[in-house]
Amino acid sequence: DIVMTQSPDSLAVSLGERATINCKSSQSVLYSSNNKNYLAWYQQKPGQPPKVLIYWASIRESGVPDRFSGSGSGTDFTLTISSLQAEDVALYYCQQYYRTPRTFGQGTKVEIK
Amino acid sequence: QVQLQESGPGLVKPSETLSLTCTVSGGSVSSYYWSWIRQPPGKGLEWIGYIYYGGSTNYNPSLTSRVTISVDTSKNQFSLKLTSVTAADTAMYYCASSAGDYHWFDSWGQGTLVTVSS
């Protein structure tokens, strides 16, 4: 299985400040034939299912605010919230869809400082 | 995007079979890949497996001996059966769709909590 490891487990950021979440995969999720990284980011608010924010490591889902961005390649990825808003308080998960079983990171809890 | 809704018993006894159904609306179950994902209380997400409308399945090796996912095109539904459940199977169970095999989960149901207890 591809193990996804996120860091940190939680972070507290002031409103308007930048939040950065890292995700590391135990093997590369970059497919060389199409140069795509098979990596998605999800946001989960309390009592709700996860919602996709980013796919192909850096493509924002339609309707997702542009303060959310994804970067990275191979085994190391980052989700950045450029200016944290109150509604961004949530759990964030990375997930690889390069191989089965599909696997998720353990989650990162983002709170307001 | 399709809308998904899980249904099934919220309480299952140990050693019995957990059975859930996901009803698809706004699209046809005869396309896409249909997954089950679970989340134990306060824990992370675990992919259980998927079915493709043609009937092909792919299960998480950690559960493959106990899992069956099936599709019912006449009802536009797909289902999960998990046998020999224990307390460790207590979780929120989500159904989700993917537009292709190597694709993220683009739609999710609201989830249904299943508790395994006598």
Side-chain angles (χ1 to χ4, degrees):
Chain A
D1 298 6
I2 298 178
V3 177
M4 309 298 290
T5 303
Q6 292 180 226
S7 62
D9 289 335
S10 65
L11 74 160
V13 176
S14 300
L15 288 172
E17 296 300 305
R18 178 185 300 262
T20 301
I21 302 169
N22 300 303
C23 174
K24 189 175 185 67
S25 57
S26 61
Q27 56 186 272
S28 176
V29 298
L30 172 64
Y31 187 41
S32 55
S33 296
N34 60 13
N35 201 36
K36 287 186 172 182
N37 289 283
Y38 287 56
L39 189 285
W41 288 96
Y42 300 85
Q43 176 192 64
Q44 186 179 31
K45 296 182 178 180
Q48 296 184 20
K51 164 193 163 186
V52 65
L53 297 175
I54 302 283
Y55 53 87
W56 298 131
S58 63
I59 306 298
R60 210 178 300 115
E61 172 76 323
S62 175
V64 172
D66 62 5
R67 62 180 179 274
F68 291 92
S69 63
S71 62
S73 186
T75 62
D76 292 280
F77 301 90
T78 300
L79 175 70
T80 301
I81 310 172
S82 61
S83 175
L84 190 75
Q85 305 300 302
E87 61 265 33
D88 301 333
V89 169
L91 276 163
Y92 292 85
Y93 294 93
C94 59
Q95 179 242 330
Q96 64 80 21
Y97 46 97
Y98 186 73
R99 295 225 186 281
T100 56
R102 306 291 188 241
T103 48
F104 295 84
Q106 80 276 19
T108 295
K109 186 176 184 179
V110 174
E111 300 173 305
I112 305 295
K113 185 188 292 184
Chain B
Q1 292 182 342
V2 296
Q3 289 78 50
L4 306 171
Q5 180 64 60
E6 304 87 350
S7 59
L11 181 64
V12 181
K13 290 183 168 57
S15 80
E16 294 190 346
T17 296
L18 179 160
S19 296
L20 297 175
T21 296
C22 183
T23 300
V24 179
S25 57
S28 171
V29 75
S30 297
S31 61
Y32 292 87
Y33 285 71
W34 306 100
S35 282
W36 287 96
I37 297 161
R38 69 181 183 178
Q39 185 172 36
K43 296 190 177 180
L45 298 157
E46 178 182 33
W47 176 75
I48 298 169
Y50 70 55
I51 188 165
Y52 181 51
Y53 78 91
S56 298
T57 55
N58 192 318
Y59 300 139
N60 193 320
S62 67
L63 295 167
T64 191
S65 63
R66 299 195 291 132
V67 171
T68 302
I69 298 175
S70 59
V71 65
D72 186 337
T73 55
S74 67
K75 295 181 179 179
N76 219 34
Q77 296 175 334
F78 64 103
S79 298
L80 168 70
K81 289 191 187 300
L82 182 66
T83 63
S84 304
V85 298
T86 69
D89 295 308
T90 293
M92 184 72 77
Y93 284 77
Y94 295 101
C95 55
S97 66
S98 302
D101 189 1
Y102 294 94
H103 199 272
W104 55 97
F105 302 112
D106 44 39
S107 290
W108 297 65
Q110 285 300 304
T112 188
L113 179 62
V114 179
T115 302
V116 178
S117 175
S118 56

